[in-house]
Amino acid sequence: MNILQTEDTICAIATAQGGAIGTIRVSGPEAITLTDRVFKPVSGKPLAGRAPYTLTFGYILTPEGEIIDEVLVSLFRAPHSYTGQDSTEISCHGSSYILQQVMQLLIRQGCRAAGPGEYTQRAFLNGKMDLSQAEAVADLIASTSAATHRMAMNQMRGGFSRELAVLRDKLLHLTSLMELELDFSDHEELEFADRSELEDIARQIEQVIHHLVDTFSVGNALKNGVPVAIVGETNAGKSTLLNALLNEERAIVSDIHGTTRDVIEDTMNLGGITFRFIDTAGIRETTDTIESLGIERSFQKLDQADIVLWVIDATCAEEQYRQLADKILPRCKGKHLVIVLNKADLLSSADSSADKQLARLKAALPDLPEDACVLSLSAKQKEGLSQLQKQLVDFAALPDLSQNDVVVSNIRHYEALSRALEAIHRVQDGLTMQLSGDLVSQDLRECLYHLGEIVGGTIETDEVLGNIFKHFCIGK
């Protein structure tokens, strides 16, 4: 499908299976005409003669006059619709058979089955929303918590776009001053702005872009979950801990060493925060090629995590700590480390408290990180999990967001902002070194270009737009 093909009429089922009601959306120049060919109102005019924003009750009929279903049809006329085109929405009973029959009738009359995200794509191409707002639609559908819902809603309502508009206005003002200096460079007596003013404007722009870039770590954690790597030796109880946290048998648990050979990921919500738990292969010396690959992936996931749960068998804690300390601790710098002393139920009552275990470890291993949190629990018996869950929420420390907070959560936006930040840094350097105006202007234009990539002002290729919208669901 050509991403810029918007002159045909498309249709798609826009609701999930299993509901009492199913909706089919039709959009395009002939949306009303083609819907009229399969729909007969109970009374009154056909859809083409009706006012927009009305509901009409009637029947979907086959060419032979057989009734497929009783339906309600919503009518929207261009440009006042979601896509900016003439549109109808047919609300049927939720039977998958009925919905497919209606779809087939529409396609026979000349509609085309819509591709993923094609309705929102048309809304963007017809100027109903910019690209960042269009991408927020998919985030809103996928939102799983109050925070992700607020982020997506703010972006869809244009909060991010307004922030970028302010930035672009400042950049254009700065660019215009530089261009004027170039146009009148032969009149040395004319001065449109002194360098200190230009540097002040550039500094304001840099601060805003830098702040937006910095919000990505929070936005990404809220959107995709705070990554938590579960690492340790084989048979320390990593998979048992994952199953206990998720309260389901997600990973295979066995007494055989090296059972987990690849990473297993799953998410759960704690205290309104989504955590992405990553169970990794047990770290040990092995000659097994497959297991070695799994262990290498364990270290890769450890590097990517914000929080590390190092699971240690409490019955041989000092030995396991010594064996892996030089492999794990250097990779935990800048991360939150929780040392989980598992299998506490196998210890004697006089030896099972976390405080005593911590005291023993510190006495035996003086290089234990000062900021490491040590907890004692039994994953098998599901004892001590609440303390671990509370610690995870404390370590995540994600802020409460309102719908007015602008937070970057889209990797494409982050990359564009990062390139814009590099460009404005070059502008600042150029102003400081008093480079010629044409060189500084080039970097200013590049900064403007990268900001334009976010809202879609500088995206011209089908391939880029296709890559963005292909991840949407059908019907949206």
Side-chain angles (χ1 to χ4, degrees):
M1 179 196 70
N2 187 328
I3 199 78
L4 300 178
Q5 182 183 345
T6 60
E7 294 307 312
D8 57 350
T9 299
I10 56 175
C11 61
I13 300 170
T15 47
Q17 290 187 0
I21 302 296
T23 300
I24 292 174
R25 309 176 82 181
V26 186
S27 180
E30 295 187 273
I32 299 172
T33 301
L34 296 182
T35 305
D36 261 333
R37 293 179 185 172
V38 301
F39 172 70
K40 180 180 180 181
V42 168
S43 62
K45 305 174 184 177
L47 295 173
R50 293 180 183 262
Y53 318 119
T54 55
L55 284 173
T56 305
F57 176 67
Y59 304 102
I60 296 293
L61 301 175
T62 67
E64 295 74 32
E66 179 186 352
I67 296 176
I68 298 298
D69 196 14
E70 295 180 343
V71 302
L72 280 173
V73 178
S74 308
L75 178 64
F76 307 90
R77 293 188 185 275
H80 305 296
S81 70
Y82 180 76
T83 61
Q85 300 176 310
D86 285 347
S87 302
T88 62
E89 292 186 359
I90 305 170
S91 297
C92 318
H93 290 93
S95 158
S96 59
Y97 172 77
I98 291 173
L99 291 167
Q100 290 299 330
Q101 287 296 303
V102 177
M103 281 288 294
Q104 289 176 27
L105 287 173
L106 288 167
I107 291 170
R108 286 184 200 139
Q109 294 301 327
C111 283
R112 172 174 62 78
E118 194 166 358
Y119 292 93
T120 305
Q121 176 196 116
R122 290 189 174 200
F124 162 67
L125 293 173
N126 291 324
K128 302 298 290 185
M129 59 181 72
D130 65 36
L131 195 55
S132 70
Q133 290 174 296
E135 289 170 296
V137 173
D139 289 342
L140 189 64
I141 294 170
S143 60
T144 56
S145 66
T148 53
H149 173 265
R150 290 191 191 105
M151 278 197 307
M153 184 59 73
N154 178 38
Q155 186 173 324
M156 195 176 76
R157 291 169 60 208
F160 188 30
S161 301
R162 286 190 293 273
E163 189 88 9
L164 291 177
V166 173
L167 268 178
R168 284 168 65 84
D169 286 344
K170 289 183 178 180
L171 275 167
L172 286 170
H173 177 60
L174 182 54
T175 304
S176 65
L177 292 175
M178 297 298 302
E179 299 288 351
L180 279 171
E181 285 192 356
L182 287 173
D183 290 341
F184 294 92
S185 58
D186 53 340
H187 296 273
E188 295 181 1
E189 70 279 4
L190 293 178
E191 185 177 83
F192 297 97
D194 60 30
R195 288 281 161 156
S196 62
E197 181 184 351
L198 296 176
E199 289 171 359
D200 183 58
I201 297 172
R203 183 168 56 253
Q204 294 175 27
I205 295 168
E206 189 273 341
Q207 288 173 349
V208 176
I209 299 178
H210 196 283
H211 168 72
L212 290 173
V213 169
D214 284 347
T215 65
F216 178 70
S217 59
V218 171
N220 188 51
L222 288 171
K223 181 178 178 179
N224 299 312
V226 179
V228 181
I230 305 175
V231 301
E233 279 201 27
T234 56
N235 269 24
K238 300 182 299 300
S239 297
T240 304
L241 179 60
L242 175 67
N243 291 341
L245 286 168
L246 299 175
N247 200 29
E248 64 174 290
E249 296 300 312
R250 182 68 176 82
I252 297 173
V253 176
S254 169
D255 291 333
I256 302 171
H257 288 268
T259 304
T260 303
R261 297 189 169 205
D262 202 353
V263 295
I264 298 172
E265 297 191 26
D266 212 334
T267 60
M268 72 174 298
N269 192 290
L270 294 173
I273 300 170
T274 301
F275 289 88
R276 190 171 78 253
F277 291 102
I278 309 161
D279 181 24
T280 64
I283 301 170
R284 66 168 180 167
E285 295 295 331
T286 180
T287 57
D288 187 299
T289 304
I290 303 298
E291 189 178 356
S292 296
L293 290 173
I295 293 170
E296 180 59 33
R297 289 188 182 183
S298 298
F299 287 122
Q300 292 173 3
K301 293 299 180 180
L302 193 160
D303 292 338
Q304 297 167 12
D306 290 341
I307 301 174
V308 177
L309 301 185
W310 180 4
V311 182
I312 294 176
D313 186 336
T315 62
C316 52
E318 295 174 18
E319 178 186 347
Q320 286 200 359
Y321 184 90
R322 286 195 185 96
Q323 287 176 346
L324 295 184
D326 61 335
K327 294 183 177 68
I328 292 178
L329 292 182
R331 296 173 181 264
C332 291
K333 291 179 180 178
K335 307 177 188 295
H336 295 293
L337 172 62
V338 182
I339 295 179
V340 179
L341 300 172
N342 190 29
K343 305 184 183 181
D345 54 310
L346 301 180
L347 299 172
S348 65
S349 58
D351 203 26
S352 62
S353 74
D355 289 341
K356 289 185 177 181
Q357 286 292 332
L358 178 58
R360 282 180 53 203
L361 279 171
K362 283 190 173 181
L365 304 161
D367 59 339
L368 182 70
E370 290 281 335
D371 56 351
C373 172
V374 181
L375 298 176
S376 178
L377 57 78
S378 170
K380 184 176 182 179
Q381 303 300 326
K382 296 186 178 181
E383 297 173 355
L385 291 179
S386 59
Q387 187 180 0
L388 174 58
Q389 292 170 344
K390 181 180 181 302
Q391 188 62 61
L392 288 170
V393 173
D394 290 345
F395 275 159
L398 296 178
D400 292 327
L401 299 180
S402 71
Q403 284 192 359
N404 295 321
D405 290 326
V406 177
V407 177
V408 177
S409 61
N410 184 305
I411 185 64
R412 192 182 69 83
H413 299 170
Y414 170 73
E415 289 174 349
L417 284 167
S418 297
R419 289 191 289 267
L421 185 61
E422 291 173 2
I424 200 65
H425 281 158
R426 291 196 296 273
V427 169
Q428 290 178 297
D429 293 341
L431 291 172
T432 301
M433 294 184 291
Q434 297 187 332
L435 296 180
S436 64
D438 56 341
L439 295 176
V440 177
S441 292
Q442 177 59 37
D443 289 324
L444 280 170
R445 284 192 290 269
E446 186 175 336
C447 187
L448 275 167
Y449 175 85
H450 292 310
L451 293 181
E453 284 184 306
I454 296 173
V455 295
T458 59
I459 292 181
E460 300 170 353
T461 68
D462 290 6
E463 183 179 0
V464 174
L465 290 176
N467 186 58
I468 290 170
F469 285 103
K470 72 180 181 181
H471 301 294
F472 280 59
C473 55
I474 299 290
K476 196 64 183 176

